[in-house]
């Protein structure tokens, strides 16, 4: 565990309507992806609803949930990022996974990385408060690994197949199916 980065931050939601809270998971994933891209990691993509991928391998993920704390709402954002794990370490995971050190060929200082990512998230949420989701939707479209591809959304025993059209303003996924466009709020995206 000392090779990776796992952390949680609590954000006050006083300026953000509760219904918009799910969008912050995408804003978090996207802002970290952009930060890593600017830090020299190429081939970075986002995968709905909350994953960061490089090419076809998972690098990290975000989990967000709304908590009620002393009669006000806060958003708990959990981030998991593979930092200094080797290919051998990752053999135990049954899906394609990578790390920053594999991609860059060097070890990363996790403390500095944590500080930079927290700052990145704070700035991203501040801009989200001012500008809303629209600018993020455009950025997401540029970084969406599976945009335009045939995908499958699996939720429990339910499966829905279609062409991925992108994400909507409410954070749901737009999928073109034979029955028309469906908006999906939950599930695992598979290709």
């Amino acid at each position: 565990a000392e090779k990776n980065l796992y952390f949680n931050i609590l954000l006050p939601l006083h300026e953000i309507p509760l219904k918009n809270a799910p969008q912050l998971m995408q804003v978090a994933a996207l802002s970290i992806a952009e930060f890593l891209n600017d830090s020299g990691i190429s081939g970075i993509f986002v995968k709905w609803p909350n994953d960061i991928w490089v090419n076809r391998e998972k690098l990290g993920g975000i989990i967000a949930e709304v908590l009620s704390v002393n009669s006000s709402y806060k958003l708990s954002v959990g981030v998991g990022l593979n930092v200094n794990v080797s290919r051998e370490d990752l053999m135990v995971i049954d899906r394609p996974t990578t790390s920053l050190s594999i991609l860059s060929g060097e070890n990363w200082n996790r403390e500095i990385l944590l500080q930079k990512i927290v700052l990145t998230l704070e700035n991203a949420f501040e801009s989200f408060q001012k500008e809303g989701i629209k600018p993020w939707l455009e950025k997401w479209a540029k970084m969406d690994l599976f945009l335009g591809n045939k995908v499958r959304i699996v939720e429990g025993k339910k499966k829905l197949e279609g062409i991925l059209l992108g994400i909507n303003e409410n954070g749901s996924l737009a999928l073109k199916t034979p029955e028309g466009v469906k908006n999906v709020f939950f599930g695992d995206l598979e290709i």
Side-chain angles (χ1 to χ4, degrees), residues 132-166:
I133 193 71
K134 277 229 164 56
W136 296 97
L137 293 177
E138 290 162 27
K139 293 177 184 184
W140 185 280
K142 289 188 186 121
M143 287 187 113
D144 192 327
L145 179 56
F146 300 113
L147 195 63
N149 283 312
K150 188 172 182 188
V151 298
R152 182 171 51 247
I153 306 292
V154 180
E155 190 195 346
K157 290 192 160 81
K158 287 195 300 195
K159 285 186 179 149
L160 183 65
E161 293 194 350
I163 304 294
L164 200 158
L165 299 176

Side-chain angles (χ1 to χ4, degrees), residues 71-89:
S71 76
S72 73
Y73 289 106
K74 296 205 182 315
L75 185 75
S76 168
V77 180
V79 177
L81 201 58
N82 296 332
V83 182
N84 293 322
V85 281
S86 65
R87 282 265 177 236
E88 294 74 50
D89 295 332

